[in-house]
């Protein structure tokens, strides 16, 4: 693969959208100026399973300012009802508590909310089941797990390998339901206009992919792609939850269709987000390891049971990272789902890899303790020469360098392996390590267009998204290097379906996929128009398929280090230090890269110690459905966190030599914290989040 020379790339260019954001002039989905809007407030089910028997809307309709009320009995129909999450208001069935069953539209948000409160709903309630149990007799194997991985793998003879092992680990780890909580809630403005009997629809949306929203929603309403325009120039965080449209988008469009000509504004409340826009599935993971006394693995089994929804299947790839992480002659991974009366799970930063690597790297730590081997050394001894799953060589596996660099920076040498060995008054201190991996994915179908203007600037257009990660800046840097100009000579346009096709910002694939399209267009432009183009010269191009994708295993790697301090009497846990060392190819922009890695590590810390969505199984809903009761790491919890990366270029991934970094920062972080808590206390906690009660379950001397 021909790499582009770097001049702008690798420099910490200040965010180009920074001024607009800090001055409040960057419009988010709910803030685009529209004329005479209606405000929507949804009506949600208050039972977890059953049927809507009747809805009394009289009081809501009489409320001054109310323009319309939608119910399951009178909402406009959809052309396609095959998607169980999106086909709302099309029948009277209730599949989970919080499901959308109606809406009130009014001249103000307050009136719409009051109107929704006045709607009275009668149900024919049915028994529901919302609790994940690993022994649920209804568990089943999905055809595949997200996105297209095999559900199970079985290499060698795991049971024989375990039976013959000198050291065995057999542990079960559980992770809770977790919810994405981006600063900007899911929101949209829908405008449905009729012209000569042909609808023209505009949707301002908070999304990670405008083209994904259009391709998903247009068929539901019988629209051709050119009849639905989706815009998202600025997005206030997503973490995966905004990677596809959800039912609230459909509700807004149904309402806009009913009230054609008036824009409909709909922003979910924080509480509504806990029922409507996906979440990380809870998991029960049994991991069995077999090894010699020297710590070398002979058998590895990773079996997962997790939740899906009855209304639509989502199968998370929780055990997939175990297929490629370490050498073992006998390996087995499996996924089983339990379909419950709950909302549909969905992507949450590093779906699958995050909870899966927590369990796997905790088990590796247990093996190191059982073998009496330093946990870094044990990982190094199990380094594979090639990808254990595919047999392909890695494009750049530098995990050992990450581990050794981190150990040196973190002060690992001289660490007493015995738990409870370090004390500072009433505080116990310990350190932990965990490895990380994440695939270097590239999405197909991306196109970029470049045009040279009379002002001497290049307009680079692609329908990409910036969800706060720095796309406005990094794509500009890539374009500048590919065109051989300064970043100031590039005018970037993104976030609009009127621009060339772009994949979703997900799977840490955005910059690699969009950047490859921009480079392809820049090269084609220079081939066609030379280095001195005339005003109006333009070119569009897609990147060629990467031949190295079939020759190499493309993954990023990393090593997390954490120090834990645990109060011996109260069980209070503090994490004064975290360090991450990553192998992610070329850094496009060190400033935004470090921000992404530290953000992921912070989210991993938050998952280790705080985050848990608690469902009341009597009624089927999440009770911790706000930021007062759903705890996330705050400033006092995030102390000394640092992230560094190796100086490298991966010549096999894309013309920039980069790999995605949005998600690897969270992978393994929780395990490093859990392993540090064990080293501090001698208490092995196998359930997240780690609580004071858990570490006090055994007396701490």
């Amino acid at each position: 693969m021909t790499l582009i020379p770097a001049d702008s790339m690798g420099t910490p260019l200040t965010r180009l959208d920074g001024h607009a954001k800090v001055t409040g002039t960057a419009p988010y989905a709910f803030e685009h100026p529209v004329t005479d809007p209606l405000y929507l407030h949804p009506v949600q089910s208050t039972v977890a399973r059953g049927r809507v028997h009747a809805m009394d809307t009289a009081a809501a309709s009489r409320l001054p300012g109310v323009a319309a009320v939608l119910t399951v009995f009178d909402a406009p129909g959809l052309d396609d009802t095959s998607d169980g999450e999106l086909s709302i208001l099309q029948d009277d069935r209730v599949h989970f508590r919080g499901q959308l069953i109606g809406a009130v539209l009014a001249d103000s948000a307050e009136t719409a909310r009051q109107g929704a409160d006045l709607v009275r709903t009668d149900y024919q309630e049915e028994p529901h089941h919302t609790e994940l149990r690993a022994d649920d007799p209804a568990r089943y194997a999905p055809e595949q797990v997200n996105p297209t991985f095999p559900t199970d793998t079985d290499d060698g003879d795991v049971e024989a390998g375990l039976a013959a092992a000198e050291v065995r680990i057999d542990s079960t780890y559980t992770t809770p339901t977790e919810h994405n909580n981006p600063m900007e809630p899911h929101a949209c403005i829908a405008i449905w206009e009729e012209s000569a009997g042909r609808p023209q629809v505009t949707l301002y949306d908070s999304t990670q992919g405008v083209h994904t929203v259009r391709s998903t929603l247009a068929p539901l309403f019988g629209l051709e792609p050119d009849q639905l325009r989706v815009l998202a120039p600025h997005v206030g965080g997503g973490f995966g939850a905004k990677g596809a449209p959800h039912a609230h988008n459909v509700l807004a469009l149904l309402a806009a269709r009913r009230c054609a000509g008036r824009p409909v504004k709909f922003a979910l409340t924080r509480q509504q987000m806990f029922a409507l826009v996906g979440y990380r599935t809870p998991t029960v993971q049994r991991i069995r390891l077999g090894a010699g006394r020297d710590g070398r693995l002979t058998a590895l089994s990773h079996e997962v049971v997790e939740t899906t929804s009855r209304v639509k299947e989502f199968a998370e790839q929780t055990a997939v990272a175990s297929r490629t992480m370490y050498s073992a002659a006998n390996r087995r991974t499996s996924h089983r789902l339990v379909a419950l009366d709950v909302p549909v799970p969905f992507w949450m930063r590093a779906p699958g890899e995050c909870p899966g690597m927590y369990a796997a790297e905790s088990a590796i730590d247990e093996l190191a303790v059982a073998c009496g081997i330093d946990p870094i050394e044990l990982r190094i001894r199990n380094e594979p020469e090639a990808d254990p799953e595919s047999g392909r060589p890695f494009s750049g596996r530098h995990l050992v360098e990450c581990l050794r660099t981190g150990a040196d920076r973190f002060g690992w040498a001289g660490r007493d392996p015995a738990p409870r060995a370090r004390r500072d008054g009433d505080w116990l201190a310990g350190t932990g390590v965990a490895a990380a991996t994440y695939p270097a994915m590239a999405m197909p179908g991306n196109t970029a267009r470049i045009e040279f203007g009379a002002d001497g600037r290049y307009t680079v257009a692609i329908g990409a998204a910036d969800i706060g990660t720095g796309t406005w800046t990094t794509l500009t840097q890539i374009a500048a290097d590919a065109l051989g100009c300064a970043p100031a000579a590039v005018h970037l346009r993104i976030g609009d379906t009127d621009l060339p096709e772009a994949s979703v910002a997900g799977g840490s694939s955005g910059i690699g996929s969009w950047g490859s399209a921009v480079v392809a267009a820049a090269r084609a432009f220079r081939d066609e128009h030379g280095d001195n183009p005339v005003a109006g010269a333009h070119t569009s191009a897609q990147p060629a398929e990467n031949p190295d994708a079939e020759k190499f295993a493309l993954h990023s790697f990393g090593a997390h280090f954490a120090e834990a301090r645990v109060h011996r009497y109260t069980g209070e846990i503090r994490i004064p230090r975290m360090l991450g060392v990553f192998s992610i190819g070329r850094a496009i922009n060190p400033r935004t890269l470090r921000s992404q890695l530290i953000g992921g590590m912070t989210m991993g810390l938050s998952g280790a110690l705080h985050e848990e969505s608690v469902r009341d199984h009597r009624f089927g809903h999440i009770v911790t459905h706000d930021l007062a009761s759903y705890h996330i790491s705050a400033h006092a919890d995030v102390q000394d966190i640092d992230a560094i990366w190796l100086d490298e270029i991966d010549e096999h991934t894309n013309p920039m030599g980069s790999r995605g970094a949005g998600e690897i920062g969270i992978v393994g972080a929780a395990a490093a914290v859990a392993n540090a808590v064990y080293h501090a206390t001698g208490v092995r906690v196998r359930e997240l989040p780690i609580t004071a009660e858990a570490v006090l379950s055994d007396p701490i001397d």
Side-chain angles (χ1 to χ4, degrees), residues 486-560:
V490 174
H491 170 57
L492 183 68
R493 295 183 62 204
I494 62 173
D496 187 343
T497 51
D498 277 358
L499 305 177
E501 189 87 16
S503 55
V504 70
S508 299
S509 67
I511 287 300
S513 303
W514 309 326
S516 296
V518 168
V519 171
R523 286 174 172 167
F525 184 93
R526 297 181 76 174
D527 288 343
E528 295 175 20
H529 305 290
D531 293 333
N532 297 295
V534 298
H538 60 88
T539 300
S540 296
Q542 289 187 344
E545 288 190 18
N546 179 10
D548 287 353
E550 299 300 320
K551 301 175 184 177
F552 295 89
L554 309 178
H555 296 264
S556 289
F557 292 92
H560 290 273

Side-chain angles (χ1 to χ4, degrees), residues 249-481:
N249 296 108
V250 179
L251 184 61
L253 287 170
L254 287 171
R257 187 176 183 180
R258 170 68 63 84
C259 302
R262 294 189 69 180
V264 172
K265 303 184 72 170
F266 183 17
L268 295 183
T269 67
R270 186 65 58 179
Q271 292 187 343
Q272 289 164 356
M273 288 172 59
F274 282 79
L276 295 172
V277 294
Y279 54 92
R280 197 188 300 281
T281 172
T283 71
V284 180
Q285 305 177 56
R286 184 188 182 192
I287 297 186
R288 293 180 294 163
L289 304 176
R293 288 288 174 191
D294 62 357
R296 299 184 188 276
L297 287 166
T298 58
L300 183 155
S301 174
H302 191 167
E303 301 167 289
V304 181
V305 181
E306 54 200 17
T307 292
T308 189
S309 172
R310 290 193 204 273
V311 72
K312 180 181 178 181
E313 181 181 278
F314 178 79
E316 193 153 293
Q317 70 278 24
T318 307
V320 164
S322 290
R323 300 173 184 173
T324 197
M325 197 63 201
Y326 298 114
S327 291
N330 307 287
R331 296 177 296 115
R332 175 189 298 155
T333 63
S334 69
H335 301 80
R336 296 295 179 267
L337 301 181
V338 178
L340 301 174
D341 301 308
V342 295
V344 182
F346 196 54
W347 301 335
M348 183 171 178
R349 200 173 199 163
E353 287 85 1
C354 177
M357 286 292 283
Y358 153 70
E361 288 298 296
S362 296
I364 288 291
D365 196 70
E366 293 200 49
L367 179 64
V369 172
C371 293
I373 299 173
D374 180 85
I376 292 178
E377 175 60 27
L378 184 133
R379 287 172 170 84
I380 292 173
R381 292 184 186 183
N382 287 287
E383 267 290 287
E385 295 182 359
D387 178 15
E389 183 177 24
S390 68
R392 299 171 185 164
F394 288 101
S395 67
R397 179 176 172 122
H398 302 293
L399 175 58
V400 172
E401 188 177 351
C402 291
L403 288 164
R404 287 178 171 159
T405 300
D408 182 61
R409 291 279 294 258
F410 199 70
W412 191 266
R415 173 184 186 265
D416 190 330
R420 307 190 192 193
R422 287 177 53 202
R423 301 197 179 198
D424 180 9
D426 291 334
W427 291 87
L428 307 176
T431 52
V433 65
T437 188
Y438 196 80
M441 292 189 282
M443 300 298 180
N446 288 275
T447 302
R449 182 176 68 241
I450 297 178
E451 181 173 351
F452 187 70
D455 60 355
R457 302 181 72 202
Y458 297 89
T459 296
V460 178
I462 183 170
D466 191 331
I467 61 172
T469 51
T471 301
W472 281 104
T473 308
T474 50
L475 273 188
T476 298
Q477 292 177 269
I478 292 169
D481 284 353

Side-chain angles (χ1 to χ4, degrees), residues 51-258:
R51 291 184 178 276
V52 177
H53 176 68
M55 297 181 72
D56 184 352
T57 63
S61 298
R62 288 195 300 267
L63 192 67
V66 168
V69 181
L70 276 67
T71 73
V72 297
F73 301 111
D74 59 14
L78 296 174
D79 284 46
D80 182 353
T81 59
S82 60
D83 188 310
E85 179 188 7
L86 301 182
S87 60
I88 58 167
L89 277 60
Q90 301 303 293
D91 58 43
D92 61 0
R93 289 293 310 173
V94 174
H95 303 281
F96 58 87
R97 179 159 175 163
Q99 176 183 317
L100 296 174
I101 59 172
V104 174
L105 292 104
D107 293 337
S108 71
E110 294 78 10
T111 301
R113 184 167 190 158
Q114 182 182 1
D117 289 341
L118 292 174
V119 175
R120 296 291 175 259
T121 305
D122 293 329
Y123 302 93
Q124 294 176 348
E125 194 169 357
E126 300 171 4
H128 64 267
H129 178 29
T130 62
E131 185 173 8
L132 175 65
R133 295 192 299 268
D135 60 350
D136 194 309
R139 67 187 184 278
Y140 70 96
E143 293 186 4
Q144 62 186 24
V145 294
N146 178 62
T148 57
F149 292 112
T151 297
D152 300 343
T153 59
D154 206 337
D155 300 301
D157 190 333
V158 168
E159 300 304 329
L162 288 167
E166 296 176 292
V167 181
R168 288 184 290 273
I169 298 296
D170 187 345
S171 296
T172 298
Y173 305 86
T174 62
T175 61
T177 301
E178 296 176 348
H179 278 80
N180 288 308
N181 274 286
M183 290 181 68
E184 180 197 21
H186 291 65
C188 60
I189 303 174
I191 307 170
W192 189 293
E193 296 174 307
E194 297 279 351
S195 177
R198 190 174 193 267
Q200 193 62 46
V201 184
T202 302
L203 185 69
Y204 297 98
D205 193 24
S206 183
T207 177
Q208 294 173 223
V210 291
H211 286 94
T212 297
V213 171
R214 183 174 70 177
S215 63
T216 302
L217 296 183
L220 271 62
F221 291 87
L223 301 173
E224 296 298 323
D226 67 337
Q227 293 177 265
L228 176 58
R229 184 184 182 189
V230 183
L231 300 98
H234 299 281
V235 180
F239 309 112
K242 296 176 182 175
H246 295 287
H248 71 284
N249 296 108
V250 179
L251 184 61
L253 287 170
L254 287 171
R257 187 176 183 180
R258 170 68 63 84

Side-chain angles (χ1 to χ4, degrees), residues 623-687:
V623 295
T624 52
H625 59 174
D626 53 44
L627 294 183
S629 51
Y630 183 87
H631 296 155
I632 59 175
S633 290
H635 285 296
D637 305 297
V638 183
Q639 300 182 47
D640 181 2
I641 295 186
D642 196 13
I644 61 175
W645 50 90
L646 306 182
D647 184 12
E648 59 173 323
I649 297 175
D650 191 332
E651 62 183 14
H652 303 293
T653 52
N654 55 53
M656 297 81 69
S658 64
R659 296 194 295 267
E663 288 164 286
I664 194 169
I666 194 175
V667 179
V673 171
N675 295 338
V677 169
Y678 166 78
H679 187 232
T681 64
V683 179
R684 180 69 69 178
V685 180
R686 301 185 181 91
E687 179 179 3

